């Protein structure tokens, strides 16, 4: 939905402003060209080039031009940070420089879910623990007891004790701090009722790097395809393009509440195979973005069966697991569904993505998240670990936050009541807005 | 150096333990094979596969095997997180389970510079500001004044005021929070004596993602080469392999204190071109890792001239700019050197990488850093921005820390004396150890 709306808005805005922004680009650029989102950017950002008197150049072609860039980069689109955002920033600069220059006073950014930029407050307990882990020197000072809840102090101690030398400034294991992965695995077990192994958890800087990692592993060439829902979240199309693969679309059906029909998957798989595409994985976003649908368990079983039959890796984007606003719907992780069907770890390769950016927590700027990786051979797992290790580790605050999200205060904890009130308030407000839309 | 030592150590350890670890791999694996670092991993990590009774499989080949992985991933090596680390973790588990099972009591990890894991304490001022930004609710409480220095409270206010809505949990601009980039640009200007533009700064989760971003932009195929020093830091070889390019080596000369000879660059460039390689960029690590050399300004001028003449992008890894332990040597950024030669922004494409992980700060786990990108056309810049935007933004704590590192307490600030004492103590200790080695 977001992408479609954005498309329409972009066209309107572009038509209205293109001559203002960069008249000579107007006829050159086609709105359907692959990199048009970024086309006007040069005119919006301040100039990059100084007017230094340049020395005589021995080499007339610049070392790097758009034509000599990696073409996969050129192909990649990322609408949520594209042209409309750039235009909005330009308008904001106008408003700052010349108040009253537009018939509105403020720009509100709705290009991406970024609740705290719109006034949503963070959960106090989470931030207390983060602050204490950032500055452990104050944890046993008497003033601290007046400022922080007792259970946040306890939790910070627990976490610090899980980190060798209590060093929150040290690189961790490339999958993340083991004790935090234990906590997350326990949280998954409590959620699903099936075992989870801390060695299956890879902590990442939000869900995006985890998605990129899997695309990097799966895509060998443009003949490799990844099944993605349409409408989709543009991270997937961007990541597939950057890694040089082919997005194989399947269309969600608005008439049935954006349902996922197996017949549609079969049809599209057939069509892709006829074009010589090896479809390697199926991305399912559940609960859906941008559609908001929650898959029925029966439907999820069919999807698992389809992946099993067709030899696809199931990439389950489950970052909206806390964003369900109707009492009759319930989130079931794909791992839970697969296990409840009797499929064990050997039977189906399945990656579940989770993030601290979504849910009631909305901690987008903290860049925390994880993927739970099951059903791969030890040899493939080594390769996933290797790719994770090339960036050393994800940021420790994000790691800590991912563990808190999967293990929030419990009944009886000092923070429990205030935590619950904050959480319920946020979810109620989100539900109200969902209803309005 | 590290890599060479690691190679030797690895061989010794492997010979001694290979049969213990996984006897049937002994003859299969060659120590010179490209992925041998990860060869024993499967035997060291706990088993990944459950013994669930698996359902009848409709598809006998698993969807993802090592043979059907992206071959670029298989090619990639990353020694600092490879086999030796895995073995060390195994030995540590042994020691925990059976104290006395080995003739030593403790494992000390020296595989990567990770000072806080070896007891180096973080700079108090940095952590105070981070904690206050994590939990702004306490910033104006009276207890806070007893716990935090006055200038850390002031600085936290300044930073919060630079963030729309003071929302440290919101996604930022994809290049990083504008106010923090202003601070960093001012820090670069003060360091170099030449202007720096906040729009040239891209804040990243440590330097590694910045290096990957540039490799992604530069490398189109295995016919594109990137000049790298040997000995090198393995991030470069790993990143070039992952992006499918060719590492073009140039050898540092131990006899001249690991100097960088232009004649060597010319020779290697010629050789690469004869093989049909288009060399696109030159990586210089200055001060050097693992060699510790500090380039003379004259040498840097020659390097700039060489890049200019040969049409190479200069990728300047300057993360060790604070790690100089001899009074007669001084760090000069490549941008400063290029500007002092009269080259303006239009004349030479230059990327400088900086990180909060190195220097006296050693904040590896915070994943903060930036690249300063100069000398590219607006069109290429748009593409860099686009790639940055696909991961939305780097973590906000890391962004804040990057700004603190480039703008630490000044004479007259309440924290200045304790900050200086902490910094000097760390640098003195590092210098002492450098001398011992």
């Amino acid at each position: 939905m977001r992408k479609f709306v954005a498309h329409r808005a972009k066209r309107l805005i572009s038509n209205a402003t293109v001559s203002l922004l960069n008249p000579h680009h107007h006829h050159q650029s086609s709105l359907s060209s692959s990199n048009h989102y970024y086309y006007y950017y040069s005119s919006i950002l301040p100039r990059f080039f100084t007017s230094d008197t340049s020395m005589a150049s021995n080499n007339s072609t610049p070392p790097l031009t758009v034509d000599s860039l990696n073409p996969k980069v050129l192909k990649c689109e990322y609408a949520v940070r594209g042209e409309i955002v750039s235009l909005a920033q330009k308008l904001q600069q106008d408003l700052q420089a010349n108040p009253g220059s537009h018939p509105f006073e403020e720009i509100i950014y709705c290009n991406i879910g970024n609740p705290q930029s719109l006034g949503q407050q963070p959960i106090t307990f989470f931030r207390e623990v983060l602050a204490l882990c950032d500055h452990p020197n104050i944890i046993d000072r008497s003033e601290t007891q007046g400022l922080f809840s007792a259970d946040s102090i306890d939790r910070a101690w627990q976490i610090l004790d899980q980190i060798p030398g209590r060093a929150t400034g040290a690189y961790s294991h490339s999958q993340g701090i083991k004790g935090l992965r234990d906590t997350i695995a326990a949280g998954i077990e409590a959620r699903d009722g099936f075992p989870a192994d801390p060695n299956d958890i890879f902590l990442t800087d939000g869900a995006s790097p985890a998605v990129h990692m899997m695309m990097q592993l799966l895509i060998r060439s443009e003949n490799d395809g990844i099944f993605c829902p349409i409408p989709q979240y543009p991270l997937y199309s961007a990541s597939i393009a950057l890694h040089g693969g082919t997005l194989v679309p399947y269309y969600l059906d608005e008439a049935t509440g954006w349902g996922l029909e197996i017949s549609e998957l079969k049809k599209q798989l057939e069509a892709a195979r006829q074009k010589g595409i090896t479809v390697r994985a199926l991305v399912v976003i559940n609960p859906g973005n941008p559609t908001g649908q929650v898959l029925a368990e029966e439907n999820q079983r069919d999807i698992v069966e389809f992946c099993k039959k067709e030899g696809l890796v199931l990439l389950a984007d489950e970052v909206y697991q806390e964003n369900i606003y109707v009492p009759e719907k319930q989130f079931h992780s794909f791992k839970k569904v697969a296990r409840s069907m009797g499929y064990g770890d050997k039977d189906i390769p399945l990656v579940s993505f989770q993030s601290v950016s979504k849910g009631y927590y909305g901690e987008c700027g903290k860049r925390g998240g994880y993927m739970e990786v099951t059903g791969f051979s030890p040899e493939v797992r080594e390769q996933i670990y290797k790719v994770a290790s090339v960036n050393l580790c994800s940021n420790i605050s994000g790691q800590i936050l991912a563990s808190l999200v999967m293990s929030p205060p419990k009944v009886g904890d000092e923070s429990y009541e205030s935590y619950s009130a904050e959480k319920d308030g946020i979810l109620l407000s989100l539900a109200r807005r969902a209803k309005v839309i």
Side-chain angles (χ1 to χ4, degrees), chain A:
Chain A
M1 199 67 132
R2 177 191 284 151
K3 199 176 176 198
F4 293 157
V5 173
H7 257 290
R8 217 168 305 143
K10 185 168 46 63
R11 195 158 294 138
L12 286 172
I13 296 173
S14 298
N15 291 343
T17 58
V18 69
S19 53
L20 166 78
L21 285 171
N22 207 345
H24 68 276
H25 276 167
H26 193 201
H27 297 292
Q28 257 173 267
S29 96
S30 149
L31 278 169
S32 60
S33 79
S34 70
N35 56 348
H36 65 265
Y37 290 137
Y38 305 95
Y39 217 70
Y40 309 112
Y41 195 67
S42 57
S43 53
I44 290 163
L45 275 189
R47 63 95 199 81
F48 302 130
F49 278 59
T50 65
S51 52
D52 274 330
T53 49
S54 70
M55 297 185 52
S57 165
N58 299 314
N59 196 303
S60 54
T61 325
L64 189 61
T65 65
V66 169
D67 295 331
S68 65
L69 270 182
N70 177 359
K72 292 172 193 165
V73 168
L74 291 175
K75 246 193 195 164
C76 161
E77 286 187 11
Y78 198 54
V80 298
R81 289 281 162 136
E83 179 192 348
I84 298 181
V85 179
S86 296
L87 177 61
Q89 286 166 347
K90 164 80 175 59
L91 294 173
Q92 192 169 31
Q93 284 170 14
D94 284 358
L95 286 172
Q96 273 165 359
N98 302 302
S101 59
H102 291 282
F104 43 85
E105 283 168 16
E106 200 187 349
I107 301 275
I108 295 170
Y109 288 86
C110 304
N111 53 307
I112 188 160
N114 198 5
Q116 294 191 25
S117 79
L118 301 175
Q120 180 178 307
Q121 292 304 302
I123 299 287
T124 304
F125 174 81
F126 294 168
R127 293 306 191 96
E128 287 181 340
V129 177
L130 286 184
L132 291 169
C133 291
D134 263 347
H135 192 34
N137 285 358
I138 63 169
I139 199 167
D140 47 12
R141 294 274 296 271
S142 60
E143 297 97 323
T144 301
Q145 288 170 25
L147 286 174
F148 294 82
S149 62
D151 55 335
S152 72
I153 295 173
D154 285 351
R155 185 69 75 96
W157 273 122
Q158 272 175 37
I159 291 172
L160 290 168
D161 284 340
Q162 290 166 343
I163 303 176
R166 294 181 183 158
T168 53
Y171 292 122
S172 72
H173 186 284
S174 293
Q175 287 184 234
I177 293 162
K178 173 63 166 54
L180 301 178
R181 285 185 281 131
D182 291 340
T183 304
I184 290 169
I188 295 171
E189 283 190 11
R191 183 194 68 195
D192 292 348
F194 288 95
D197 185 337
N199 293 307
D200 292 342
I201 309 293
F202 287 73
L203 283 153
T204 50
D205 293 312
S208 304
V211 169
H212 290 310
M213 237 186 268
M214 290 312 301
M215 295 301 170
Q216 187 158 45
L217 285 150
L218 286 164
I219 296 172
R220 294 162 296 184
S221 75
E222 69 278 10
N223 294 325
D224 280 340
I226 308 290
F227 250 139
C228 286
I230 305 292
Q232 58 127 8
Y233 180 65
L235 166 66
Y236 293 99
S237 50
S239 187
I240 293 167
L242 277 178
H243 292 99
T246 296
L247 187 152
V248 178
Y250 64 91
Y251 294 87
L252 300 175
D253 183 15
E254 186 164 11
T256 62
W258 300 107
L260 199 170
E261 302 291 331
I262 300 296
S263 58
E264 166 71 6
L265 289 177
K266 282 184 183 157
K267 192 180 84 181
Q268 299 291 351
L269 182 65
E270 190 53 38
R273 285 180 176 161
Q274 277 179 4
K275 288 182 203 151
I277 305 290
T278 305
V279 182
R280 308 215 69 194
L282 171 69
V283 172
V284 183
I285 310 176
N286 179 53
N289 175 13
T291 60
Q293 105 285 16
V294 184
L295 295 178
E297 214 179 332
E298 181 57 36
N299 197 184
Q300 291 184 270
R301 274 192 222 114
D302 293 343
I303 294 166
V304 169
E305 210 60 80
F306 176 80
C307 288
K308 177 74 189 152
K309 178 157 177 262
E310 301 296 348
L312 303 178
V313 174
L314 179 47
L315 301 174
D317 180 334
E318 300 182 324
V319 302
Y320 293 98
Q321 56 191 265
E322 301 271 5
N323 295 82
I324 299 179
Y325 310 124
V326 283
E328 67 275 17
K329 303 236 173 167
Q330 214 195 324
F331 168 73
H332 303 283
S333 78
F334 269 101
K335 191 176 136 223
K336 172 184 169 181
V337 169
R339 296 292 175 272
S340 69
M341 294 167 72
Y343 285 125
D345 192 15
K346 262 189 186 159
D347 302 311
I348 182 149
L350 171 58
V351 182
S352 165
F353 302 99
Q354 167 67 318
S355 164
V356 305
S357 306
K358 315 302 172 190
Y360 59 90
Y361 11 97
E363 292 277 17
C364 308
K366 296 293 174 188
R367 313 310 289 127
Y370 69 80
M371 57 178 182
E372 186 190 12
V373 174
T374 51
F376 294 97
S377 70
E379 291 74 23
V380 170
R381 248 318 241 284
E382 290 169 40
Q383 299 298 322
I384 302 175
Y385 174 78
K386 185 172 74 180
V387 171
S389 77
V390 173
N391 276 332
L392 298 166
C393 67
S394 61
N395 83 87
I396 305 295
S397 295
Q399 291 190 25
I400 292 170
L401 198 46
S403 82
L404 297 176
V405 154
M406 297 306 285
S407 173
K410 288 178 185 55
V411 184
D413 293 347
E414 185 184 311
S415 290
Y416 181 74
E417 272 187 45
S418 63
Y419 157 76
S420 293
E422 290 174 359
K423 174 181 169 178
D424 292 347
I426 291 166
L427 286 174
L428 211 68
S429 148
L430 292 172
R432 203 171 46 235
R433 282 179 265 182
K435 221 169 266 173
V436 170
I437 288 174

